């Protein structure tokens, strides 16, 4: 029982991280039908940028106060991620907006390789995992229950809280605000959105910016939770997040969040209980994906493409 | 006095195919002007070019004396030209109210709520179902919403592409009554219609578009009486 609860908690923590990244995939796909494979690297760059903010910009006397250091690092990580995404959109994707769908997809893969190699080559020491400072309160809370103990760390609580709050704020913004309406209109029918006076370029850039900011914040959270950053994590978590977005239904905010948590839970539960343990936990993620797509090709919350209007 | 909208020797191409070769017409402030013609004549392409969705290959488009031939769609709307596109093109997954809000997207004045109330007054069925998704509505109701949405921009010139398409005769009559009412409130109307009879009967001026060219023009009633128009578009010998 305690083991099960512990694995559920671990799953939620991982799931929260995946969900934050998956939001960027799903929003960009929703508006320009591009699977931005470089988005995982944006998350990774966010992690490195927040580390750089800590190492090079935050004076030593501020570092021990987490309520000063952590927001500054999140800001640094998100800012660099956003700048990167804006450049990416402007110079890699926008010129290909009317090209066949394969062209921007291959470009995204190329951008992803470039980003990963650039960080590996130019960030000091990034050829191996780089230690990440424990800036946040580093507590482990232990609870005695039934037949054992469960442990949850302060960073784990922060991770779950930020991902849930982030998703709720985003969903509210998309459904209630003027710009949110413009984004949904552009996603549904770009030409008609233009007839309403929506500037498509501005709307698309905003979508990239929001996704990148969330990925940048995910980068910091990853750093304080895992206590290192590595150029490899962009690809791995990119794949997790992409799978979460597809599972939940690309284009759906709710779907990305539920997909993220589903993947986190499957991975930690399968690692504990399924044959093969953690060696095969990734297999079960994709088994779940295949099963869902067989019965619901549009994903759990995706909208099938036949709405009258 | 210059006209509100002047289109001069317009030509528009999709790749190598010229859909509009030589279209010229003008719309005076306060008038209803119709472009009529058969399927594929270039009427819709002309409207899509005026509203900035397509770029002209040659010719000029002037609104209120200034060229808008190379402006972006959102700039053209901001200057006062709204386009209610063919096939209604509502945002089907959004509610009636959200569609109307999008119609007013470029407006920053405080009158949006009042104008929304006016749309609901004009089309009570929309008011009763304002929280429902637009995709669930019937063709006629969708057309009302499409017109209401275009009105929300408070345009000086409202362009309507086939507003009567697929509608029952009663609904068509209601749509044309609404167009008349909008005109009486000061909106200039540019109408594209295959229903030439109904369109010309309401219009101050009409133009016949044939194979990408404006071939005939005149006051609506004159065109209605013109034997060439009657032969080609009203099914008479």
């Amino acid at each position: 029982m305690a083991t099960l609860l512990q694995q559920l908690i671990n799953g939620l923590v991982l799931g929260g991280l995946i969900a934050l990244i998956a939001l960027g995939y799903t929003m960009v796909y929703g508006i320009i039908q591009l699977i931005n494979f470089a988005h995982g690297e944006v998350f990774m760059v966010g992690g490195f940028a927040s580390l750089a903010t800590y190492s090079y910009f935050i004076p030593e006397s501020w570092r021990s106060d987490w309520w000063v250091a952590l927001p500054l690092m999140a800001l640094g990580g998100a800012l660099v991620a956003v700048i990167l995404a804006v450049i990416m959109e402007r110079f890699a994707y926008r010129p290909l907006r009317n090209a066949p769908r394969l062209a921007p997809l291959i470009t995204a893969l190329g951008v992803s390789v470039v980003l990963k190699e650039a960080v590996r080559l130019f960030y000091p020491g990034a050829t191996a995992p780089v230690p990440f400072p424990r800036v946040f309160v580093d507590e482990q809370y232990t609870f005695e229950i039934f037949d054992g103990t469960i442990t949850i760390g302060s960073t784990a609580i922060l991770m779950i809280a930020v991902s849930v709050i982030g998703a709720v704020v985003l969903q509210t913004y998309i459904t209630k605000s003027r710009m949110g309406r413009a984004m949904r209109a552009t996603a549904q029918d770009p030409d008609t959105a233009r007839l309403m006076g929506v500037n498509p370029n501005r709307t698309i850039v905003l979508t990239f910016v929001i996704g990148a900011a969330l990925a940048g914040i995910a980068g910091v959270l990853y750093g304080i939770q895992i206590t290192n950053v590595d150029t490899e994590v962009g690809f791995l978590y990119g794949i997790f997040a992409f799978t979460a977005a597809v599972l939940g239904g690309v284009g759906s905010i709710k779907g990305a969040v539920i997909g993220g948590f589903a993947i986190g839970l499957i991975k930690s539960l399968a690692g504990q209980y399924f044959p093969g343990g953690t060696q095969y936990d990734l297999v079960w993620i994709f088994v779940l994906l295949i099963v869902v797509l067989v019965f619901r090709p549009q994903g759990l919350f995706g909208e099938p493409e036949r709405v009258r209007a | 006095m210059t006209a509100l909208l002047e289109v001069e020797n317009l030509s528009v191409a999709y790749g190598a195919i010229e859909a509009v070769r030589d279209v010229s017409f003008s719309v005076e402030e306060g008038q209803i002007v119709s472009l009529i013609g058969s399927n594929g004549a270039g009427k819709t392409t002309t409207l899509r070019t005026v509203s900035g969705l397509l770029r002209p290959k040659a010719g000029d488009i002037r609104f209120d004396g200034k060229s808008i031939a190379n402006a972006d769609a959102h700039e053209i709307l901001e200057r006062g030209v709204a386009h209610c596109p063919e096939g209604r093109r509502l945002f089907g997954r959004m509610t009636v109210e959200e569609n109307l809000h999008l119609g007013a997207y470029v407006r920053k004045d405080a009158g949006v709520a009042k104008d929304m109330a006016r749309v609901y007054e004009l089309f009570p069925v929309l008011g009763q179902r304002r929280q429902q998704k637009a995709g669930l509505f019937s063709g006629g109701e969708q057309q009302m919403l499409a017109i209401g949405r275009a009105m929300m921009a408070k345009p000086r010139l409202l362009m309507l592409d086939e507003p009567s398409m697929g509608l029952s005769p009663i609904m068509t009559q209601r749509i044309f009554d609404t167009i008349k009412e909008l005109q009486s409130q000061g909106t200039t109307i540019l109408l594209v219609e295959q229903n030439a009879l109904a369109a010309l009967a309401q219009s101050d001026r009409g133009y016949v578009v044939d194979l990408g060219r404006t071939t005939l023009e005149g006051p609506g009633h004159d065109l209605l009486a013109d034997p060439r128009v009657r032969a080609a578009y009203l099914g008479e010998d």
Side-chain angles (χ1 to χ4, degrees), chain A residues 34 42 61 72 114 141 146 199 270 279:
Chain A
L34 165 71
V42 172
S61 58
L72 285 176
V114 168
Y141 306 102
F146 315 115
N199 179 339
Q279 293 216 304

Side-chain angles (χ1 to χ4, degrees), chain B residues 219-230:
Chain B
H221 286 95
D222 291 6
L223 277 186
L224 262 183
D226 190 302
R228 287 167 297 181
V229 173
R230 301 194 76 83

Side-chain angles (χ1 to χ4, degrees), chain A residues 13 106 218:
Chain A
V13 174
I106 301 293

Side-chain angles (χ1 to χ4, degrees), chain A residues 166-228:
Chain A
V168 170
V169 169
L170 182 61
Q171 176 77 348
T172 312
Y173 180 74
I174 299 285
T175 48
K176 303 276 187 245
S177 76
R178 177 171 172 273
M179 275 314 287
R181 266 200 299 271
M183 290 165 87
R184 283 183 295 144
T186 306
Q188 281 183 37
D189 185 343
D191 268 358
T192 307
R194 288 169 66 198
L195 289 181
M196 304 295 112
V198 175
N199 179 339
N201 286 333
R202 209 199 295 170
T203 314
I204 290 167
V205 169
L206 180 68
T207 310
F208 273 88
V209 162
I210 294 174
L214 293 171
I217 291 169
V220 190
L221 294 173
Y222 176 88
I224 58 172
Q225 169 75 10
I226 309 293
T227 68
N228 69 51

Side-chain angles (χ1 to χ4, degrees), chain A residues 20 52 64 76-77 102 136 155 163 179-180 196 243 245 259 270 274 279 300:
Chain A
L20 273 181
S64 51
L102 206 51
F136 192 56
T155 53
S163 59
M179 275 314 287
M196 304 295 112
T243 309
F274 285 18
Q279 293 216 304
L300 294 173

Side-chain angles (χ1 to χ4, degrees), chain A residues 175 178-179 181-182 184-186 188-189 191-200 303 307-309, chain B residues 48 51-53 73-74 77 83 85 89-94 98 101-103 105-106 135 137 149:
Chain A
T175 48
R178 177 171 172 273
M179 275 314 287
R181 266 200 299 271
R184 283 183 295 144
T186 306
Q188 281 183 37
D189 185 343
D191 268 358
T192 307
R194 288 169 66 198
L195 289 181
M196 304 295 112
V198 175
N199 179 339
E303 309 238 6
V307 181
R308 269 176 70 195
Chain B
R48 288 171 64 83
S51 62
L53 291 177
H74 59 97
L77 181 69
H83 178 177
R89 304 288 287 267
L90 297 172
F91 299 105
R93 277 175 259 154
M94 296 195 204
E98 286 178 312
H101 269 299
L102 275 161
Y105 179 77
V106 293
F137 283 60
R149 184 179 66 175

